[in-house]
Amino acid sequence: MARPFSLRNLTLVAVLALAATCGPNPKAPVQVMAMVPNESGTFTTTQVELTTVGNLTTLSGDTIKFVGATRVVLDPNDPTQQINGGIQNLSDDQRYDVIVRDKGADVRGHFVDRSGVLWPADFHTWNMVTTYYNFERSYKYFANIYDGVDPKELRPMRILYWSDTYLNSTTPITDNALYLSFIKSFVVAPFKNEQLIPMPMNPGVIGHETAHRVFNYNALSDQGIHPALATWALEPFNWLKSLDEGLADFHGYSVTCLEAAGCRPNFLGLSLADSRTVAFRNVANPGACMDEPLRTSFKNTVQNEWILSPNLYKVGNLVAVSLFQAGNKTGKMEVLQKALITALDDESATTPGIRQLIEANKQDSSLAQRNFTPEAVVDIIAAHITDPDLKRQVCIEFSDHMQLRCGTFPCMVDGLPAMRNCPSTAMRGTECPRIPQP
Ligand SMILES: [Zn+2]
């Protein structure tokens, strides 16, 4: 007796039937057409080479793996997400199991061979190939600046393609690309309203999201939900989130520099029509400065409000701008990019990394976390820069754009030496108006 077909089984049959007619499926390197933004920011169909793809039809390989038809639901009222006292107490696999409610299946791309170049044959294949290409470029950017260290945490990157995603809401996420640390997966959400370059087709956006994976793995010990994010409050929490966003915008910008169209410091402007959001994400804005209202908000805003506030990104932008200025003024961008990776995690006793600073302070919910300051993090970054000009410039830019408590060096904060890795030749830069120090 035939078992009754569920809708999902029917879909599976349809997918399998299509698979039989999906055409060429060569091994990498493969020449395919993708949608790549040109200098003016409009799409051009461009021939690109995919070098990591193992199975072009399913858009998967050792580095990137697409999964289609998933449904992701983060819902604290879901009983399965209350097991063990909440998802923060579950293992990675358990958490994935209760949050990714529909586990999905392989995607299927359809191609037409035109003289050895494969052309996507439908909308989703265009989108998937372009998204794949952007992840591959991001992977190559990070593999290069890892400087001989295997970026194993980026292999494979799991992409939940066109996922139905609900994050503490009954409204699905649309028009976005996300890295969700709690399921260690990237989400490409369906397009709905945005009329510009969709997020996953924007190389800078995918660079930004990949940077979140890098930060989470290295600085947050690969913990899907790090205890510091649960226990810290006010400035240390806000700083941890803004640092993550600022580094992600800086790396996202850096990924755009690999494109033929050239570096795009305001890469979000390709995808978002809202100029108010875009304006304060531009990493090339020398006028981005900590001012008193922003500092007051940075110090006093509580966790749940900070993660929804534009100020999260404004403080992040000060990080990205400081790095951009330092790298450009010294002409040592790649040295800086590499130093930012080594600064994330360093077990040495003399130059501990950002991960070590977080770990040393993660347990205490009131006092120790206060050691996680902008001054302490900038000092760690400076400690990992071997080039003296770049080290000095990083100190100059951060102390200016973030209006740090150190403006001359050596520096004392609250009676203790601070930013000891900044040389005495550094001093606060002059691009920003001074604000009084607390
Ligand atoms: Zn982000």
Side-chain angles (χ1 to χ4, degrees):
M1 196 179 102
R3 281 188 297 164
F5 268 105
S6 73
L7 200 60
R8 194 172 345 167
N9 286 341
L10 276 174
T11 318
L12 199 61
V13 168
V15 167
L16 290 172
L18 279 172
T21 60
C22 70
N25 191 21
K27 291 267 178 281
V30 201
Q31 306 298 321
V32 293
M33 298 302 287
M35 307 284 273
V36 178
N38 65 12
E39 288 85 343
S40 64
T42 46
F43 270 142
T44 47
T45 55
T46 306
Q47 184 180 327
V48 300
E49 185 176 78
L50 301 182
T51 60
T52 64
V53 70
N55 184 333
L56 184 66
T57 299
T58 59
L59 273 305
S60 63
D62 295 340
T63 310
I64 296 153
K65 173 136 189 49
F66 273 58
V67 185
T70 56
R71 195 161 66 98
V72 176
V73 183
L74 186 62
D75 175 7
N77 297 318
D78 174 354
T80 67
Q81 295 183 25
Q82 295 168 350
I83 296 168
N84 287 358
I87 55 169
Q88 70 278 8
N89 301 321
L90 300 180
S91 70
D92 287 349
D93 287 347
Q94 289 169 329
R95 203 182 292 135
Y96 189 89
D97 195 50
V98 297
I99 293 174
V100 184
R101 285 195 191 161
D102 290 348
K103 304 293 182 283
D106 284 347
V107 299
R108 296 280 161 180
H110 305 108
F111 297 90
V112 178
D113 190 337
R114 290 191 194 160
S115 316
V117 179
L118 297 176
W119 285 68
D122 57 37
F123 162 79
H124 278 296
T125 307
W126 276 109
N127 187 25
M128 291 193 295
V129 165
T130 303
T131 304
Y132 188 100
Y133 173 69
N134 287 336
F135 274 105
E136 190 174 284
R137 297 301 293 259
S138 291
Y139 176 81
K140 287 179 178 174
Y141 164 79
F142 282 103
N144 177 50
I145 65 170
Y146 271 47
D147 211 14
V149 176
D150 180 12
K152 57 185 182 308
E153 62 270 27
L154 300 180
R155 217 174 46 240
M157 293 189 271
R158 182 168 49 206
I159 321 296
L160 307 184
Y161 177 76
W162 216 255
S163 173
D164 219 2
T165 305
Y166 302 82
L167 303 181
N168 296 321
S169 168
T170 52
T171 310
I173 304 261
T174 55
D175 297 310
N176 216 338
L178 315 161
Y179 175 66
L180 299 182
S181 62
F182 49 85
I183 50 170
K184 297 188 179 173
S185 303
F186 297 86
V187 162
V188 169
F191 308 157
K192 192 176 176 202
N193 296 320
E194 284 289 346
Q195 300 296 309
L196 303 176
I197 305 263
M199 292 281 202
M201 298 173 120
N202 181 334
V205 169
I206 295 305
H208 174 108
E209 298 309 326
T210 308
H212 281 317
R213 170 72 190 136
V214 168
F215 186 86
N216 191 271
Y217 181 86
N218 291 289
L220 298 177
S221 308
D222 199 26
Q223 298 202 43
I225 302 173
H226 194 278
L229 291 170
T231 55
W232 289 6
L234 303 176
E235 185 179 315
F237 175 89
N238 298 348
W239 172 229
L240 183 55
K241 297 301 288 182
S242 290
L243 175 67
D244 189 2
E245 292 302 337
L247 292 173
D249 272 353
F250 177 75
H251 288 302
Y253 151 76
S254 299
V255 167
T256 67
C257 295
L258 304 177
E259 293 302 308
C263 298
R264 217 181 282 276
N266 201 15
F267 62 83
L268 212 56
L270 280 184
S271 296
L272 285 184
D274 181 354
S275 59
R276 287 163 305 172
T277 307
V278 170
F280 60 76
R281 296 284 291 272
N282 185 353
V283 308
N285 174 16
C289 299
M290 182 68 89
D291 57 22
E292 291 199 71
L294 183 57
R295 190 171 63 187
T296 301
S297 166
F298 181 50
K299 288 186 178 302
N300 299 306
T301 305
V302 298
Q303 292 147 316
N304 291 344
E305 285 176 31
W306 186 255
I307 57 173
L308 298 174
S309 165
N311 292 346
L312 160 69
Y313 294 98
K314 284 185 185 170
V315 172
N317 182 247
L318 303 179
V319 173
V321 165
S322 300
L323 295 169
F324 176 88
Q325 297 287 332
N328 267 343
K329 286 177 185 172
T330 56
K332 287 166 180 158
M333 205 54 109
E334 194 174 320
V335 181
L336 179 57
Q337 291 158 354
K338 290 178 176 175
L340 292 175
I341 298 301
T342 55
L344 289 178
D345 181 12
D346 185 344
E347 292 285 355
S348 85
T350 47
T351 55
I354 292 170
R355 176 165 96 91
Q356 286 68 29
L357 180 65
I358 293 169
E359 290 298 307
N361 296 300
K362 72 178 177 186
Q363 298 303 347
D364 192 309
S365 61
S366 59
L367 289 174
Q369 54 164 311
R370 289 183 195 160
N371 295 327
F372 190 75
T373 61
E375 287 81 4
V377 169
V378 173
D379 195 44
I380 289 172
I381 293 172
H384 289 85
I385 298 172
T386 45
D387 181 274
D389 291 340
L390 180 63
K391 187 195 290 274
R392 175 174 171 272
Q393 201 64 38
V394 160
C395 297
I396 290 171
E397 300 297 340
F398 272 100
S399 107
D400 188 21
H401 291 282
M402 292 201 68
Q403 293 288 297
L404 299 182
R405 295 175 76 183
C406 293
T408 56
F409 305 93
C411 168
M412 301 284 279
V413 170
D414 297 336
L416 293 170
M419 298 182 73
R420 279 178 283 191
N421 288 287
C422 289
S424 59
T425 52
M427 66 194 74
R428 193 188 307 283
T430 54
E431 278 166 349
C432 290
R434 299 272 180 104
I435 57 174
Q437 291 301 319

